[in-house]
Amino acid sequence: MLLSLRTRITATCVAIVVTALSASTGITYVVTKHNDERTLRQNLATITQGNAQAITEWLTARAAMVQAVSPESLAADPVSAVTQLEKSGGFVVAYAGYPDKHAVFSRDLGIPADYDPTGRPWYQAAVSAGKLVITQPYEDIATKKLVVTLALPVLANGQLKAVVAADVNLDGVTSTVNGIHPTPASFAFLADKSGRIVAHPDAKLNLKPATDLSADLTASALGNLADPDKPLAVRIAGATKLLHAEPVKHSDWELVVAMDEDEALAGLRDVLRAMFMTLVTVAFLAAGVGSVMTASAFRRLSQVREAMDEIGSGDGDLTKRLPSDGNDEIAQIARAFNQFADKLATVLIDIRDSSESVRTATAEISQGNIDLSTRTEQAAASLEQTAAAMDELTGTVQNSAEAAVRAGELAAAASQVANRGGDAVS
């Protein structure tokens, strides 16, 4: 319990400082968090857009090389045309398929003689689309690497002359995807519209559904990641990731960047931790400063208390006065105590004088009582003497009475004798 007034005042000051700093910390945290989250979303969108653009440019450059093949070059020397395409674009292989069901390749792949290009998916997709198409990624049997085929219908006067195609490794795309690490635990992956992973840092997940990464990553969910202000929060490998996606042009791919939320907001937690440490430090400083600032005042107040205790105990020195310098409340209390001590001393002096008068009067009364007692004793002695005389007088009277009785008896006896004498005389 806070029994000491000084302790309560210090605690109140500390509580005010802590409350103010807590409010300031809370407001700062909210504002900082809002700004950090906005910055996080902006960075996430920027990183995704930049890398999606890099993949787009990589794909566009190879598409441009395929589109550079002219109908004339295919008609004049198709083998040289596809060979040049392979070398210029760094393709695995380049080839052309014709409506008459024959095909030419940039190098010998051991293709069987009855190979019919018109029945191949790349050929049919290009003819159906009427423009450059990019097939779904697949794993090359020989190299075990991810490969896509770029296929372009070659037209002359509105007539299909051939479909030129080239296979390209996705090593460049995979390298770009694997290099995306905004934070140590963040990563990126490439997915298509069907929800299948095209490229992932973990090669085991390539060509697997995105739901293998997280059950929340359905095709529809991946299609709703384009809004930079609303990244999707998904739990992946026990951590919360913020996902944003950007489409890759000339394909049905989209680059998804998964930003680790804890790492991205680590700076915010550091700020909060620093604010908390500052709060604790300032609280201790406030307590120390408050204690030091109140020490002098409460020391003087303690002097007043001790002086009052001495007076209350009956052994106090009423000539003692407290220092009353200053105009604060403690000085006012000290002056009031000094006035109280002066008044109390005056009252006690008056009581002492009155007591002296009472003592003198009491002494005089005592002396009068002594005199009265002496005279009373003398009167009592006189009374005792008178009583003794009275006792003697009473004894004499009794003797006289007895003598009178005896005389009476003698007189009676004499009378009888006289009577008898008279009788004798007669």
Side-chain angles (χ1 to χ4, degrees):
M1 296 178 63
L2 301 178
L3 298 179
S4 170
L5 178 61
R6 180 184 178 188
T7 303
R8 290 200 296 268
I9 292 175
T10 303
T12 301
C13 294
V14 172
I16 292 173
V17 171
V18 170
T19 301
L21 287 178
S22 297
S24 176
T25 299
I27 294 172
T28 303
Y29 175 77
V30 171
V31 173
T32 304
K33 181 180 180 183
H34 175 74
N35 291 334
D36 284 359
E37 288 177 345
R38 181 178 60 186
T39 302
L40 170 61
R41 292 192 297 268
Q42 291 174 348
N43 290 341
L44 180 59
T46 301
I47 292 170
T48 308
Q49 290 172 359
N51 286 280
Q53 181 64 31
I55 296 174
T56 297
E57 291 175 356
W58 179 89
L59 200 58
T60 299
R62 280 145 185 82
M65 294 176 186
V66 174
Q67 291 171 334
V69 178
S70 64
E72 293 77 11
S73 61
L74 287 177
D77 189 357
V79 175
S80 296
V82 295
T83 301
Q84 182 62 34
L85 175 61
E86 176 191 338
K87 292 180 179 180
S88 62
F91 293 105
V92 177
V93 64
Y95 44 93
Y98 293 87
D100 60 3
K101 299 183 180 182
H102 82 276
V104 294
F105 293 86
S106 59
R107 52 193 177 88
D108 186 11
L109 297 178
I111 301 298
D114 59 350
Y115 177 81
D116 182 4
T118 61
R120 310 304 296 176
W122 55 269
Y123 186 98
Q124 295 176 351
V127 172
S128 176
K131 61 180 181 178
L132 178 73
V133 295
I134 300 175
T135 65
Q136 293 292 330
Y138 57 92
E139 188 178 83
D140 185 74
I141 297 176
T143 62
K144 302 297 181 182
K145 295 182 178 181
L146 288 180
V147 174
V148 293
T149 299
L150 283 71
L152 175 72
V154 178
L155 304 176
N157 299 323
Q159 297 294 321
L160 178 65
K161 297 300 182 180
V163 173
V164 61
D167 296 346
V168 59
N169 284 331
L170 293 182
D171 290 347
V173 174
T174 302
S175 177
T176 300
V177 171
N178 292 347
I180 301 174
H181 289 290
T183 66
S186 300
F187 63 92
F189 63 93
L190 200 64
D192 59 23
K193 298 296 184 181
S194 67
R196 187 176 64 165
I197 296 175
V198 175
H200 188 279
D202 184 359
K204 295 179 180 179
L205 292 173
N206 291 338
L207 305 182
K208 299 291 182 63
T211 51
D212 287 359
L213 192 62
S214 172
D216 296 329
L217 296 180
T218 61
S220 60
L222 290 173
N224 294 325
L225 298 179
D227 188 351
D229 294 327
K230 295 180 180 180
L232 178 65
V234 177
R235 296 287 295 180
I236 299 176
T240 300
K241 311 292 184 183
L242 298 178
L243 274 62
H244 174 64
E246 288 289 337
V248 177
K249 295 180 181 179
H250 310 302
S251 70
D252 65 345
W253 303 341
E254 56 182 1
L255 178 66
V256 182
V257 176
M259 180 82 76
D260 189 276
E261 186 177 35
D262 289 341
E263 292 182 347
L265 298 178
L268 179 62
R269 290 194 299 275
D270 291 340
V271 170
L272 182 61
R273 188 179 300 108
M275 289 181 176
F276 177 76
M277 295 301 296
T278 301
L279 175 63
V280 173
T281 302
V282 172
F284 278 108
L285 289 177
V289 171
S291 179
V292 171
M293 294 294 292
T294 58
S296 176
F298 278 93
R299 183 168 54 251
R300 296 166 61 192
L301 190 61
S302 296
Q303 293 175 350
V304 176
R305 182 198 63 199
E306 292 170 356
M308 294 297 292
D309 288 341
E310 290 181 2
I311 292 175
S313 66
D315 298 327
D317 182 5
L318 294 181
T319 64
K320 180 179 180 180
R321 296 296 180 265
L322 298 175
S324 58
D325 300 335
N327 295 315
D328 57 9
E329 290 79 359
I330 305 299
Q332 295 173 6
I333 293 174
R335 286 194 289 270
F337 173 82
N338 293 338
Q339 292 176 359
F340 166 74
D342 292 339
K343 184 65 176 177
L344 185 60
T346 302
V347 171
L348 291 179
I349 290 172
D350 292 341
I351 292 174
R352 184 188 64 185
D353 293 341
S354 299
S355 299
E356 184 65 24
S357 298
V358 171
R359 187 187 65 79
T360 302
T362 302
E364 293 175 353
I365 293 172
S366 176
Q367 186 61 43
N369 289 336
I370 292 172
D371 293 342
L372 179 60
S373 176
T374 302
R375 290 192 295 272
T376 301
E377 288 177 354
Q378 293 175 355
S382 298
L383 288 174
E384 287 179 355
Q385 293 175 358
T386 301
M390 290 297 293
D391 287 341
E392 293 177 357
L393 179 61
T394 300
T396 302
V397 172
Q398 287 177 349
N399 292 330
S400 296
E402 291 175 354
V405 171
R406 182 64 180 167
E409 291 176 350
L410 292 175
S415 176
Q416 290 176 358
V417 171
N419 285 333
R420 286 190 302 270
D423 290 338
V425 171
S426 295

Coordinates of all heavy atoms in Angstrom, one line a residue, residues 345-409:
A345 N 3.3 28.6 23.9 CA 4.2 29.1 24.9 C 3.6 30.2 25.7 O 3.7 30.2 27.0 CB 5.5 29.6 24.3
T346 N 2.9 31.1 25.0 CA 2.2 32.2 25.8 C 1.1 31.7 26.7 O 1.0 32.1 27.9 CB 1.6 33.2 24.8 OG1 2.6 33.7 23.9 CG2 0.9 34.3 25.5
V347 N 0.3 30.7 26.2 CA -0.7 30.1 27.0 C -0.1 29.4 28.2 O -0.6 29.5 29.4 CB -1.6 29.2 26.2 CG1 -2.5 28.4 27.1 CG2 -2.4 29.9 25.1
L348 N 1.0 28.7 28.0 CA 1.6 27.9 29.1 C 2.2 28.9 30.2 O 2.2 28.6 31.4 CB 2.7 27.0 28.6 CG 2.1 25.8 27.8 CD1 3.3 25.0 27.2 CD2 1.2 25.0 28.6
I349 N 2.8 30.0 29.7 CA 3.3 31.0 30.6 C 2.2 31.6 31.5 O 2.3 31.8 32.7 CB 4.0 32.2 29.8 CG1 5.3 31.6 29.3 CG2 4.3 33.3 30.8 CD1 6.0 32.6 28.3
D350 N 1.0 31.9 30.8 CA -0.1 32.4 31.6 C -0.6 31.4 32.6 O -0.9 31.7 33.7 CB -1.3 32.8 30.6 CG -0.9 34.0 29.7 OD1 0.0 34.7 30.1 OD2 -1.6 34.1 28.7
I351 N -0.6 30.1 32.1 CA -1.0 29.1 33.1 C 0.0 29.0 34.2 O -0.4 28.8 35.4 CB -1.1 27.7 32.3 CG1 -2.3 27.8 31.3 CG2 -1.3 26.6 33.3 CD1 -2.4 26.5 30.4
R352 N 1.2 29.2 33.9 CA 2.3 29.1 35.0 C 2.0 30.2 36.0 O 2.1 30.0 37.2 CB 3.7 29.2 34.4 CG 4.8 29.0 35.4 CD 6.1 29.3 34.8 NE 6.2 30.7 34.3 CZ 7.2 31.2 33.6 NH1 8.2 30.4 33.3 NH2 7.2 32.4 33.2
D353 N 1.8 31.5 35.5 CA 1.6 32.6 36.4 C 0.3 32.4 37.2 O 0.3 32.7 38.4 CB 1.4 33.9 35.6 CG 2.7 34.3 34.9 OD1 3.8 33.8 35.3 OD2 2.7 35.1 33.9
S354 N -0.7 31.9 36.5 CA -2.0 31.6 37.3 C -1.7 30.6 38.3 O -2.3 30.6 39.5 CB -3.1 31.2 36.3 OG -3.4 32.3 35.4
S355 N -1.0 29.6 38.0 CA -0.7 28.5 38.9 C 0.1 29.1 40.1 O -0.1 28.6 41.3 CB 0.1 27.4 38.3 OG -0.6 26.9 37.2
E356 N 1.0 30.0 39.9 CA 1.8 30.6 41.0 C 0.9 31.4 41.9 O 1.0 31.3 43.2 CB 2.9 31.6 40.4 CG 3.8 32.2 41.5 CD 4.6 31.2 42.2 OE1 4.8 30.1 41.6 OE2 5.0 31.4 43.3
S357 N -0.1 32.1 41.3 CA -1.1 32.9 42.2 C -1.9 31.9 43.0 O -2.1 32.1 44.2 CB -2.0 33.7 41.3 OG -1.2 34.7 40.6
V358 N -2.3 30.8 42.3 CA -3.1 29.8 43.1 C -2.3 29.2 44.2 O -2.8 29.0 45.3 CB -3.6 28.7 42.1 CG1 -4.2 27.6 42.8 CG2 -4.6 29.3 41.1
R359 N -1.0 29.0 43.9 CA -0.1 28.4 44.9 C 0.0 29.4 46.1 O 0.0 28.9 47.3 CB 1.3 28.1 44.3 CG 2.2 27.4 45.3 CD 3.6 27.3 44.7 NE 4.2 28.6 44.6 CZ 4.8 29.2 45.6 NH1 4.8 28.7 46.8 NH2 5.3 30.4 45.4
T360 N 0.2 30.7 45.9 CA 0.3 31.6 46.9 C -1.0 31.7 47.8 O -0.9 31.7 49.0 CB 0.6 33.0 46.4 OG1 1.8 33.0 45.6 CG2 0.8 34.0 47.5
A361 N -2.1 31.7 47.1 CA -3.4 31.8 47.8 C -3.6 30.5 48.6 O -4.0 30.5 49.7 CB -4.5 32.0 46.8
T362 N -3.2 29.4 48.0 CA -3.3 28.1 48.7 C -2.4 28.1 49.9 O -2.8 27.6 51.0 CB -2.9 27.0 47.7 OG1 -3.8 27.0 46.6 CG2 -3.1 25.6 48.4
A363 N -1.2 28.7 49.8 CA -0.3 28.7 51.0 C -0.9 29.6 52.1 O -0.8 29.2 53.3 CB 1.1 29.3 50.6
E364 N -1.5 30.7 51.7 CA -2.1 31.6 52.7 C -3.3 30.9 53.4 O -3.4 31.0 54.6 CB -2.6 32.9 52.1 CG -1.4 33.8 51.6 CD -1.9 35.0 50.8 OE1 -3.1 35.1 50.6 OE2 -1.0 35.9 50.5
I365 N -4.1 30.2 52.6 CA -5.2 29.5 53.1 C -4.7 28.4 54.1 O -5.3 28.2 55.1 CB -6.1 28.9 52.0 CG1 -6.8 30.0 51.2 CG2 -7.1 27.9 52.5 CD1 -7.5 29.6 50.0
S366 N -3.6 27.8 53.7 CA -3.1 26.7 54.5 C -2.6 27.3 55.8 O -2.8 26.7 56.9 CB -1.9 26.0 53.8 OG -1.3 25.1 54.6
Q367 N -1.9 28.5 55.8 CA -1.5 29.1 57.0 C -2.6 29.5 57.9 O -2.6 29.3 59.1 CB -0.6 30.3 56.7 CG 0.0 31.0 57.9 CD 1.0 30.0 58.6 OE1 1.7 29.4 58.0 NE2 0.9 30.0 59.9
G368 N -3.7 30.0 57.3 CA -4.9 30.4 58.1 C -5.5 29.1 58.7 O -6.0 29.2 59.8
N369 N -5.5 28.1 57.9 CA -6.0 26.8 58.5 C -5.2 26.4 59.7 O -5.7 25.8 60.7 CB -6.1 25.7 57.4 CG -7.2 26.0 56.4 OD1 -8.1 26.7 56.7 ND2 -7.0 25.5 55.2
I370 N -3.9 26.6 59.5 CA -3.0 26.2 60.6 C -3.3 27.0 61.9 O -3.4 26.5 63.0 CB -1.5 26.3 60.2 CG1 -1.2 25.3 59.1 CG2 -0.6 26.1 61.4 CD1 0.2 25.4 58.5
D371 N -3.5 28.3 61.7 CA -3.8 29.2 62.8 C -5.1 28.8 63.4 O -5.3 28.8 64.7 CB -3.8 30.7 62.3 CG -2.4 31.2 61.9 OD1 -1.4 30.5 62.3 OD2 -2.4 32.2 61.2
L372 N -6.1 28.6 62.6 CA -7.4 28.2 63.1 C -7.3 26.9 63.8 O -8.0 26.7 64.9 CB -8.4 28.0 61.9 CG -9.8 27.6 62.2 CD1 -10.5 28.6 63.2 CD2 -10.6 27.4 60.9
S373 N -6.5 26.0 63.3 CA -6.3 24.7 64.0 C -5.7 24.9 65.4 O -6.1 24.3 66.4 CB -5.4 23.8 63.1 OG -5.2 22.6 63.8
T374 N -4.7 25.9 65.5 CA -4.1 26.1 66.8 C -5.1 26.7 67.8 O -5.1 26.3 68.9 CB -2.9 27.1 66.6 OG1 -2.0 26.5 65.6 CG2 -2.2 27.4 67.9
R375 N -5.8 27.7 67.3 CA -6.8 28.3 68.2 C -7.9 27.3 68.6 O -8.4 27.2 69.7 CB -7.5 29.5 67.5 CG -6.5 30.7 67.4 CD -7.3 32.0 67.0 NE -7.9 31.9 65.7 CZ -7.3 32.2 64.6 NH1 -6.1 32.6 64.6 NH2 -8.0 32.1 63.5
T376 N -8.2 26.4 67.6 CA -9.2 25.4 68.0 C -8.7 24.4 69.0 O -9.4 24.0 70.0 CB -9.6 24.6 66.7 OG1 -10.1 25.5 65.7 CG2 -10.6 23.5 67.0
E377 N -7.4 24.1 68.9 CA -6.8 23.2 69.9 C -6.8 23.9 71.3 O -7.0 23.3 72.3 CB -5.3 22.9 69.4 CG -5.3 22.0 68.3 CD -3.9 21.7 67.8 OE1 -2.9 22.4 68.4 OE2 -3.7 20.9 66.9
Q378 N -6.4 25.3 71.3 CA -6.4 26.0 72.6 C -7.8 26.0 73.2 O -8.0 25.8 74.4 CB -5.9 27.4 72.3 CG -4.5 27.5 71.9 CD -4.0 28.9 71.6 OE1 -4.9 29.8 71.6 NE2 -2.7 29.1 71.4
A379 N -8.8 26.2 72.3 CA -10.2 26.2 72.8 C -10.6 24.9 73.3 O -11.3 24.7 74.4 CB -11.2 26.7 71.7
A380 N -10.1 23.9 72.7 CA -10.4 22.5 73.1 C -9.8 22.2 74.4 O -10.4 21.6 75.3 CB -9.9 21.5 72.0
A381 N -8.5 22.8 74.6 CA -7.9 22.6 75.9 C -8.6 23.2 77.1 O -8.8 22.7 78.2 CB -6.4 23.1 75.8
S382 N -9.1 24.5 76.8 CA -9.9 25.2 77.8 C -11.1 24.5 78.1 O -11.6 24.4 79.3 CB -10.2 26.6 77.2 OG -9.0 27.4 77.0
L383 N -11.8 24.0 77.1 CA -13.0 23.2 77.3 C -12.7 22.0 78.1 O -13.5 21.6 79.0 CB -13.6 22.8 75.9 CG -14.3 23.9 75.1 CD1 -14.7 23.4 73.8 CD2 -15.4 24.5 75.9
E384 N -11.5 21.4 77.9 CA -11.2 20.2 78.7 C -11.0 20.6 80.1 O -11.4 19.8 81.1 CB -9.9 19.6 78.1 CG -10.1 18.8 76.8 CD -8.8 18.3 76.3 OE1 -7.7 18.5 76.9 OE2 -8.8 17.6 75.2
Q385 N -10.3 21.8 80.4 CA -10.1 22.2 81.8 C -11.5 22.5 82.4 O -11.7 22.2 83.6 CB -9.2 23.5 81.8 CG -7.8 23.2 81.3 CD -7.0 24.5 81.3 OE1 -7.5 25.6 81.5 NE2 -5.7 24.3 80.9
T386 N -12.3 23.2 81.6 CA -13.7 23.5 82.2 C -14.4 22.2 82.5 O -15.1 22.1 83.5 CB -14.5 24.3 81.1 OG1 -13.7 25.5 80.9 CG2 -15.8 24.7 81.7
A387 N -14.3 21.2 81.6 CA -15.0 20.0 81.8 C -14.5 19.3 83.1 O -15.2 18.7 83.9 CB -14.8 19.1 80.6
A388 N -13.1 19.4 83.3 CA -12.5 18.8 84.5 C -13.1 19.5 85.8 O -13.4 18.9 86.8 CB -11.0 18.9 84.4
A389 N -13.1 20.9 85.7 CA -13.7 21.7 86.8 C -15.1 21.3 87.1 O -15.6 21.2 88.2 CB -13.5 23.2 86.5
M390 N -15.9 21.2 86.0 CA -17.3 20.8 86.1 C -17.4 19.4 86.8 O -18.3 19.2 87.6 CB -17.9 20.8 84.8 CG -18.1 22.2 84.2 SD -19.2 23.2 85.2 CE -20.7 22.4 85.0
D391 N -16.4 18.5 86.4 CA -16.5 17.2 87.0 C -16.2 17.3 88.5 O -16.9 16.6 89.3 CB -15.4 16.3 86.3 CG -15.8 15.9 84.9 OD1 -17.0 15.9 84.6 OD2 -14.9 15.5 84.1
E392 N -15.2 18.2 88.9 CA -14.9 18.3 90.3 C -16.1 19.0 91.0 O -16.5 18.6 92.2 CB -13.7 19.2 90.5 CG -12.4 18.6 90.0 CD -11.2 19.5 90.1 OE1 -11.4 20.7 90.5 OE2 -10.1 19.1 89.7
L393 N -16.7 20.0 90.4 CA -17.9 20.6 91.0 C -19.0 19.6 91.1 O -19.7 19.6 92.2 CB -18.3 21.8 90.1 CG -19.6 22.6 90.6 CD1 -19.3 23.2 92.0 CD2 -19.9 23.7 89.6
T394 N -19.2 18.8 90.1 CA -20.2 17.8 90.2 C -20.0 16.8 91.4 O -20.9 16.5 92.2 CB -20.3 16.9 88.9 OG1 -20.6 17.8 87.8 CG2 -21.4 15.9 89.0
G395 N -18.7 16.5 91.6 CA -18.3 15.6 92.7 C -18.6 16.3 94.0 O -19.1 15.7 95.0
T396 N -18.3 17.6 94.1 CA -18.5 18.4 95.4 C -20.0 18.5 95.7 O -20.5 18.3 96.8 CB -17.9 19.8 95.2 OG1 -16.5 19.7 94.9 CG2 -18.1 20.6 96.5
V397 N -20.8 18.8 94.6 CA -22.2 18.8 94.7 C -22.8 17.5 95.2 O -23.7 17.5 96.1 CB -22.9 19.3 93.4 CG1 -24.4 19.2 93.5 CG2 -22.5 20.7 93.1
Q398 N -22.3 16.4 94.6 CA -22.7 15.1 95.0 C -22.4 14.9 96.5 O -23.2 14.4 97.3 CB -22.1 14.0 94.2 CG -22.7 14.0 92.8 CD -22.0 12.9 91.9 OE1 -20.9 12.4 92.3 NE2 -22.6 12.7 90.7
N399 N -21.2 15.3 96.9 CA -20.8 15.1 98.3 C -21.7 16.0 99.2 O -22.1 15.6 100.3 CB -19.3 15.6 98.5 CG -18.4 14.6 97.8 OD1 -18.7 13.4 97.7 ND2 -17.2 15.0 97.4
S400 N -22.0 17.2 98.7 CA -22.8 18.1 99.5 C -24.2 17.5 99.6 O -24.9 17.6 100.7 CB -22.9 19.5 98.8 OG -21.7 20.1 98.8
A401 N -24.7 16.9 98.5 CA -26.0 16.3 98.5 C -26.0 15.1 99.5 O -27.0 15.0 100.3 CB -26.4 15.8 97.1
E402 N -25.0 14.4 99.5 CA -24.9 13.2 100.4 C -24.9 13.7 101.8 O -25.5 13.1 102.7 CB -23.7 12.4 100.0 CG -23.8 11.6 98.7 CD -22.6 10.9 98.3 OE1 -21.5 11.0 99.1 OE2 -22.6 10.2 97.3
A403 N -24.1 14.8 102.0 CA -24.0 15.4 103.3 C -25.3 15.9 103.8 O -25.7 15.8 105.0 CB -22.9 16.5 103.4
A404 N -26.0 16.5 102.9 CA -27.4 17.1 103.2 C -28.3 16.0 103.6 O -29.1 16.1 104.5 CB -27.9 17.9 102.0
V405 N -28.2 14.9 102.8 CA -29.1 13.7 103.1 C -28.8 13.2 104.5 O -29.7 12.9 105.3 CB -28.9 12.6 102.0 CG1 -29.6 11.4 102.4 CG2 -29.5 13.1 100.6
R406 N -27.4 13.1 104.7 CA -27.0 12.6 106.0 C -27.5 13.5 107.1 O -27.9 13.1 108.2 CB -25.5 12.5 106.0 CG -24.9 11.9 107.3 CD -25.4 10.5 107.5 NE -24.8 9.9 108.7 CZ -25.2 8.8 109.3 NH1 -26.2 8.1 108.7 NH2 -24.6 8.4 110.4
A407 N -27.4 14.8 106.8 CA -27.8 15.8 107.8 C -29.3 15.7 108.1 O -29.8 15.9 109.2 CB -27.4 17.2 107.3
G408 N -30.0 15.5 106.9 CA -31.5 15.3 107.1 C -31.8 14.1 108.0 O -32.7 14.2 108.8
E409 N -31.0 13.1 107.7 CA -31.3 11.9 108.5 C -31.0 12.1 109.9 O -31.7 11.7 110.8 CB -30.4 10.7 107.9 CG -30.9 10.2 106.6 CD -30.0 9.1 106.0 OE1 -28.8 8.9 106.6 OE2 -30.3 8.5 104.9

